[in-house]
Amino acid sequence: RAKSAGGNRCETADPELDARAITSHGLTTALPAALERGEFFIEYQPLVHMDDGSVHGAEALVRWSHPQHGILGPDQFIPLAERTGLIVPLGRWVLQEAVRQARYWQEHHTEGGPLRINVNLSPAQLQHPGLVTDTVAVLERSGLAPGVLCLEVTESALIGADETLLRPLRQLAEMGVDIALDDFGTGYSNLANLRRLPVSVLKLDRSFTQGMQQLPVDPVDLKIVEGIVSLAHSLELAVTVEGVETGAQADRLRELGCDTAQGWYYARPGPPELLHALSLADAI
Ligand code: C2E
Ligand code: MG
Ligand code: MG
Ligand code: MG
């Protein structure tokens, strides 16, 4: 297992291997078998409340434990899974597994309310007709309240989205599932457009908060984030910030009114037990 130091995003055993290289290695055909063999696993990254540092929940991030290449990150195989259609069964597996984990947390870690679970949806999953029924079935089987689940959809997947694409999300939102707009700020979407999307959370992309790692912070950067936060709040959206790596960054973003945060400063993605330790630490 690749460990902590350096690198970006999922730390893989073979960082040189990009999606193209994997295709040329003939791994496209290995994807379905990998799902059957149970080679995928999920790491969980805590989401914390900025005001008191308590744990709000976790984002499920999928990894592939490849027999030859070691641990592969989602950027190395999700595009491939999208192109081959495997993303639908893979995404369903991630949802099932993450919801099962959230249910476990609910049963074993009752202090401080249920830990929320965030699951990423890719565009192909959004367009798949089974999305709503699959999600309902997974929730019902687990007994988890819909409000514990948050589905993350990237801003770019929703740019120019018509009602056909939005309808399943609207249905899920009406059931009480939270929808988050992931990587917000990277997609040049029309801010006024936010009003018609069935989202309740904005996840500010890491690129927005990178400038706040070191002091002094560019006052224009501060103004931009301040503006987005106040717009989001006036639309009754919660704001999560991604990629918080330093205490200085956390301080700025808390002052700017961000609600929840995620990043290496708090915790790197890790096994589910990571959350047990953190939520117990809260309770003390
Ligand atoms: P994302 O949803 O924006 O997830 C956040 C990414 O930022 C994760 O990368 C996480 O490990 C990384 N990250 C978290 N905190 C920090 C930090 O402080 N600094 C830096 N530099 N990075 C940080 P990861 O795990 O490699 O995932 C990459 C993307 O793959 C995700 O971006 C998401 O779009 C996609 N993905 C992950 N799991 C799934 C899945 O189950 N289904 C689908 N469709 N997509 C997934
Ligand atoms: Mg995400
Ligand atoms: Mg994100
Ligand atoms: Mg991002």
Side-chain angles (χ1 to χ4, degrees):
R1 258 319 247 286
K3 266 273 145 219
S4 293
N8 248 2
R9 320 207 105 192
C10 176
E11 288 133 22
T12 60
D14 193 352
E16 298 298 297
L17 201 67
D18 66 7
R20 235 170 337 157
I22 294 177
T23 313
S24 70
H25 278 78
L27 295 190
T28 308
T29 49
L31 269 170
L35 186 57
E36 271 169 33
R37 279 199 296 266
E39 290 173 5
F40 293 100
F41 67 99
I42 299 177
E43 285 194 321
Y44 296 87
Q45 188 177 32
L47 281 139
V48 304
H49 290 286
M50 293 212 91
D51 52 4
D52 62 0
S54 64
V55 181
H56 173 71
E59 178 173 7
L61 296 160
V62 69
R63 279 91 178 81
W64 179 3
S65 177
H66 189 278
Q68 278 90 47
H69 299 295
I71 312 285
L72 301 181
D75 292 337
Q76 293 171 298
F77 62 85
I78 292 284
L80 209 64
E82 281 257 341
R83 283 201 297 279
T84 58
L86 188 82
I87 191 67
V88 171
L90 176 60
R92 200 185 289 129
W93 177 81
V94 171
L95 179 71
Q96 217 163 16
E97 182 58 21
V99 162
R100 191 196 57 71
Q101 186 59 54
R103 176 70 196 184
Y104 178 90
W105 286 330
Q106 194 168 75
E107 280 167 6
H108 295 85
H109 300 271
T110 47
E111 68 285 333
L115 290 176
R116 315 282 314 264
I117 185 74
N118 285 34
V119 175
N120 293 283
L121 280 190
S122 58
Q125 287 174 275
L126 263 184
Q127 282 160 27
H128 189 264
L131 176 65
V132 176
T133 44
D134 283 351
T135 307
V136 170
V138 167
L139 285 171
E140 278 178 354
R141 240 177 299 144
S142 72
L144 205 72
V148 177
L149 176 65
C150 176
L151 295 174
E152 300 192 359
V153 183
T154 60
E155 181 192 19
S156 57
L158 291 188
I159 286 178
D162 59 9
E163 264 312 301
T164 324
L165 199 73
L166 294 179
R167 193 173 305 121
L169 288 182
R170 228 180 268 295
Q171 278 176 271
L172 290 165
E174 276 160 17
M175 284 168 42
V177 173
D178 269 319
I179 311 291
L181 206 50
D182 203 355
D183 299 345
F184 183 79
T186 58
Y188 305 101
S189 68
N190 179 350
L191 289 180
N193 206 12
L194 278 177
R195 296 180 56 189
R196 58 175 207 101
L197 300 178
V199 298
S200 46
V201 182
L202 273 196
K203 287 191 83 170
L204 253 193
D205 191 66
R206 192 164 68 87
S207 55
F208 266 84
T209 54
Q210 253 166 341
M212 287 174 203
Q213 274 176 26
Q214 265 132 26
L215 299 173
V217 174
D218 182 341
V220 176
D221 282 352
L222 283 177
K223 283 284 172 209
I224 292 173
V225 174
E226 196 175 18
I228 293 175
V229 172
S230 94
L231 174 80
H233 285 166
S234 66
L235 293 170
E236 294 178 1
L237 304 175
V239 178
T240 299
V241 281
E242 297 186 323
V244 178
E245 295 183 359
T246 68
Q249 228 179 336
D251 291 342
R252 292 292 86 69
L253 292 161
R254 185 184 315 104
E255 283 161 18
L256 289 170
C258 297
D259 304 293
T260 49
Q262 186 178 352
W264 297 345
Y265 173 66
Y266 302 100
R268 294 193 179 231
E273 297 76 37
L274 171 72
L275 268 288
H276 305 182
L278 286 176
S279 59
L280 285 176
D282 268 357
I284 295 165

